[in-house]
């Protein structure tokens, strides 16, 4: 058996690796955000069925989307090796395989918002590298085979050595291409530097209002630090848009189309407010919720300036990375403080939270309102479009639901008999909470004491004291909003428009 034959899959793998590395470097040098690999990975996310997408949100945090990239790389490695084997007898089949992969990347790139020809350049460069490198390696493998046919050691060793040297050089080029792309394309570092140097007139540091905490250890901080704020998005690589390059287009069913640069935006009057955000995929008792001091420009004034036409009832928002959501037009134009946020807790938005500009809408779940890295707003009708999550089974509109949690004591805690201090949080943004009640073992509901709140758009901490005897017990909590509506105990999943049910925990009481 020829030893050269075993190297054909290696040749295909090396050709594939150098093509990926060079395409990555080309994307970085051309300042294209999505390398072909990233474009394909985000395309996979966009096509993921709703139940799978929900499972991924429940299972992985934002950083773990790299698992998808690794999975795609493993699949590509297997395909590249197979293409190398095909090239041994059917060169045309290997070429076809590489062309098909490039076609998949082209489709993924063109699926992004406002693609340009320059966005396709990394794909073309990568494909050329695949074909040229495979041709070079194939030539030396065939020379090796001829030498093996000659059955003389003097013929075999030089050709094998040259092939191995060429393979090593190509592997080095792959590594160098990856490093060059990382160095040349460190857009995040540049964006982070511009973010840290940014000073926005009118943005103030937050001061936590008096009386908003109940003073019980174990209840989460009333103000959520930026680093602790929950993160949900579909981007493999977070968009890194410099303020000087950011622009928002407001168009569609309007009398006047508006284009705003970052300088135009921050020159307007800045509004600031405490606003709690929570995710529609937050389970009962979950932690996909946070409260921050947001600073930005009210959307009501901007949209009024654009003058929506009769019949318009929605705004289709689009992120720089192509993610979309549909927001009720009325929620963006009523008295609530819906804004284009530029700062979070007194600092320019972190990149992960939408720097330089994102949308904040009190009273709506994030999947229909909280568009990070927002670059486009089309005034339209709900009947005329679908958005990212509505395509996966979620409702078109997502007003938040009354919710409450028990944070003290923790589920499964051992506590002494007697008076037990219970505490937690409740929320119903844009309506407010008027009361919280606690129940022990299905008994009577006991009223809790509420902390203060600066407005109806934040969560509220609560505290209650209940008597518990030795044994096993179950605690429940429910909230009542400012309109007198009582939180339902009916259990519902997060799909299609948010979970419901009373947060319930079990405790053990010792004598």
């Amino acid at each position: 058996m020829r030893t050269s034959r075993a190297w054909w899959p290696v040749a295909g793998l090396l050709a594939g690796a150098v093509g990926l590395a060079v395409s990555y470097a080309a994307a970085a040098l051309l300042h294209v955000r999505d390398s072909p690999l990233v474009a394909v990975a985000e395309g996979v996310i966009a096509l993921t069925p709703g139940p799978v997408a929900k499972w991924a949100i429940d299972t992985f945090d934002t950083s773990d989307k790299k698992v998808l990239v690794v999975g795609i790389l493993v699949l590509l490695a297997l395909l590249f090796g197979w293409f190398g084997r095909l090239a041994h007898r059917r060169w045309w089949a290997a070429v076809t395989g590489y062309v098909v992969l490039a076609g998949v990347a082209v489709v993924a790139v063109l699926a992004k918002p406002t693609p340009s020809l320059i966005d396709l350049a990394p794909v073309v460069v990568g494909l050329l590298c695949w074909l040229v490198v495979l041709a070079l390696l194939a030539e030396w493998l065939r020379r090796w085979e001829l030498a093996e046919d000659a059955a003389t050691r003097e013929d075999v060793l030089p050709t094998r050595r040259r092939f191995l040297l060429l393979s090593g050089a190509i592997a080095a080029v792959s590594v160098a291409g990856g490093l060059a792309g990382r160095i040349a394309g460190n857009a995040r570092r540049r964006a982070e530097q511009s973010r840290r140097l940014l000073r926005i007139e009118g943005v103030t540091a937050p001061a936590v209002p008096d009386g908003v905490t109940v003073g019980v250890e174990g209840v989460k901080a009333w103000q959520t630090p930026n680093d602790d704020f929950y993160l949900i998005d579909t981007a493999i690589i977070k968009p890194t848009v410099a303020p000087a390059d950011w622009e928002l287009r407001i168009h569609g069913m309007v009398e006047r189309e508006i284009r705003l640069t970052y300088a135009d935006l921050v020159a307007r009057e800045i509004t600031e407010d405490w606003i709690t955000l929570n995710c529609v995929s937050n389970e009962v008792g979950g932690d996909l919720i946070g409260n921050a001091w947001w600073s930005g420009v009210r959307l009501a004034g901007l949209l009024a300036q654009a003058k929506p036409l009769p019949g318009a009832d929605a705004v289709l928002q689009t992120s720089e990375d192509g993610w979309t959501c549909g927001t009720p037009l009325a929620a963006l134009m009523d008295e609530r403080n819906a804004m284009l946020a530029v700062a979070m807790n007194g600092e320019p938005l972190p990149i992960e939270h939408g720097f330089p500009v994102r949308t904040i809408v009190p009273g709506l779940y994030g999947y229909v309102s909280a568009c990070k890295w927002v670059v486009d707003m089309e005034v339209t009708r709900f009947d005329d479009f679908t958005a990212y999550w509505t395509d996966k089974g979620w409702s078109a509109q997502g007003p938040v639901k009354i919710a409450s949690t028990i944070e003290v004591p923790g589920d499964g805690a051992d506590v002494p008999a007697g008076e037990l201090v219970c505490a937690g949080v409740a929320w119903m943004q844009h309506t407010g909470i008027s009361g919280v009640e606690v129940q022990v073992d299905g008994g009577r509901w006991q009223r809790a004491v509420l902390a203060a709140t600066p407005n109806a758009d934040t969560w509220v901490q609560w505290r209650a004291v209940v008597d518990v005897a030795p044994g096993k017990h179950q605690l429940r909590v429910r909230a009542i909003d400012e309109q007198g509506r009582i939180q339902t105990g009916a259990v519902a999943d997060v799909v299609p428009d948010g979970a419901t049910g009373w947060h319930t925990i079990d405790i053990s009481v010792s004598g």
Side-chain angles (χ1 to χ4, degrees):
M1 178 179 176
R2 293 171 174 170
T3 57
S4 59
R5 185 172 300 173
W7 285 90
W8 282 95
V10 175
L13 182 61
L14 286 172
V18 76
L20 288 179
V22 172
S23 69
Y24 171 62
L29 290 168
L30 295 171
H31 302 293
V32 175
R33 186 187 78 86
D34 293 331
S35 68
L37 179 61
V38 170
V40 170
E42 293 186 350
V44 170
I45 291 176
L47 296 174
T48 301
V52 179
K54 178 187 177 299
W55 171 83
I57 285 176
D58 293 341
T59 306
F60 302 121
D61 65 20
T62 303
S63 63
D64 287 328
K65 293 193 187 76
K66 295 177 182 177
V67 172
L68 174 61
V69 175
V70 172
I72 291 176
L73 286 173
V74 171
L75 176 60
L76 287 176
L78 295 174
L79 289 173
F80 291 151
W82 182 46
F83 295 163
R85 289 191 63 183
L86 290 175
H88 183 224
R89 296 299 182 193
R90 296 187 293 275
W91 176 259
W92 63 268
V95 171
T96 301
Y98 284 120
V99 170
V100 169
L101 284 183
V104 172
V106 167
V107 171
V109 170
L110 293 178
K112 296 292 181 180
T114 63
S116 64
L117 289 178
I118 198 69
D119 296 328
L120 296 176
V123 180
V124 175
V125 170
L127 175 61
L128 292 176
C129 284
W130 284 341
L131 300 181
V132 170
V133 172
L134 184 61
L136 287 172
L137 291 172
E139 174 64 22
W140 279 101
L141 273 172
R142 291 193 174 94
R143 292 187 185 185
W144 185 356
E145 288 181 343
L146 291 174
E148 286 180 325
D149 288 340
T152 62
R153 184 177 179 82
E154 291 75 13
D155 291 332
V156 172
L157 289 179
T159 52
R160 182 175 66 185
R161 186 180 301 114
R162 290 189 181 98
F163 172 78
L164 294 176
L165 287 172
L166 179 61
S167 298
I170 288 172
V173 169
S174 299
V175 174
L179 291 175
R182 189 171 184 84
I183 293 171
N186 200 346
R188 181 184 176 92
R189 176 176 54 81
R190 295 193 298 270
E192 186 61 34
Q193 287 176 342
S194 66
R195 189 189 79 84
R196 291 184 181 279
L197 294 173
L198 197 59
R199 297 293 180 269
I200 306 170
E201 187 175 351
V203 172
T204 64
V208 175
D210 293 335
V212 295
T213 64
V214 291
V216 177
E217 184 177 355
V219 178
K220 62 171 62 77
W222 187 82
Q223 176 191 349
T224 308
N226 292 356
D227 290 342
D228 296 336
F229 212 97
Y230 75 94
L231 285 169
I232 296 289
D233 58 64
T234 61
I236 296 293
I237 295 178
K238 302 298 180 284
T240 48
V241 185
D245 298 329
W246 180 84
E247 183 180 72
L248 174 68
R249 181 186 178 210
I250 301 175
H251 63 107
M253 296 178 63
V254 295
E255 291 185 15
R256 175 189 176 192
E257 180 174 312
I258 294 176
R259 289 182 180 269
L260 279 175
T261 66
Y262 189 81
D264 295 333
L265 182 68
V266 297
R268 292 172 174 259
E269 182 181 359
I270 297 292
T271 184
E272 298 184 295
D273 217 345
W274 291 103
I275 299 172
T276 296
L277 302 182
N278 58 299
C279 183
V280 70
S281 57
N282 196 30
E283 303 280 358
V284 173
D287 59 0
L288 297 179
I289 183 168
N291 186 53
W293 176 246
W294 301 96
S295 309
V297 174
R298 290 198 68 204
L299 274 161
L302 287 170
L303 289 167
Q305 186 178 340
K307 296 183 178 178
L309 298 175
D313 62 0
V315 173
L316 178 63
Q317 301 189 60
T318 303
S319 167
E320 198 275 338
D321 70 338
W323 184 86
T324 56
C325 68
T327 311
L329 177 62
L332 299 177
M333 297 191 69
D334 63 17
E335 77 287 352
R336 80 185 76 194
N337 219 356
M339 70 175 78
L340 292 173
V342 295
M344 178 181 185
N345 286 328
E347 300 177 357
L349 290 171
I351 291 173
E352 289 80 5
H353 288 286
F355 179 78
V357 183
R358 67 170 291 172
T359 310
I360 298 291
V361 186
L364 299 180
Y365 285 122
Y367 84 104
V368 297
S369 65
C371 187
K372 300 174 185 174
W373 314 291
V374 60
V375 294
D376 190 272
M377 288 186 163
E378 180 187 359
V379 179
T380 180
R381 291 185 290 255
F382 276 110
D383 290 342
D384 295 340
F385 73 91
T386 59
Y388 182 89
W389 282 113
T390 54
D391 284 337
K392 299 181 183 299
W394 269 256
S395 297
Q397 300 192 40
V400 298
K401 298 180 177 179
I402 310 171
S404 54
T405 61
I406 302 171
E407 297 185 342
V408 177
D411 191 21
D414 289 315
V415 299
E419 290 189 341
L420 174 65
V421 174
C422 306
V425 292
W427 60 92
M428 179 61 178
Q429 298 94 307
H430 195 55
T431 301
I433 297 294
S434 65
V436 171
E437 296 176 330
V438 180
Q439 183 190 68
V440 181
D441 296 332
R444 67 180 181 86
W445 289 99
Q446 303 176 55
R447 200 76 167 191
V449 174
L450 302 185
T453 55
N455 59 49
D457 293 328
T458 69
W459 56 16
V460 57
Q461 292 190 4
W462 60 267
R463 178 183 187 275
V465 178
V466 297
D467 289 321
V468 288
K472 303 289 186 180
H473 297 282
Q474 195 172 71
L475 302 180
R476 290 193 181 95
V477 64
R478 69 181 185 185
I480 305 165
D481 73 10
E482 287 286 0
Q483 296 179 3
R485 294 173 297 188
I486 300 174
Q487 179 183 346
T488 180
V491 176
D493 189 22
V494 298
V495 182
D497 57 3
T500 62
W502 297 326
H503 186 212
T504 303
I505 66 168
D506 296 306
I507 60 172
S508 297
V509 179
S510 60

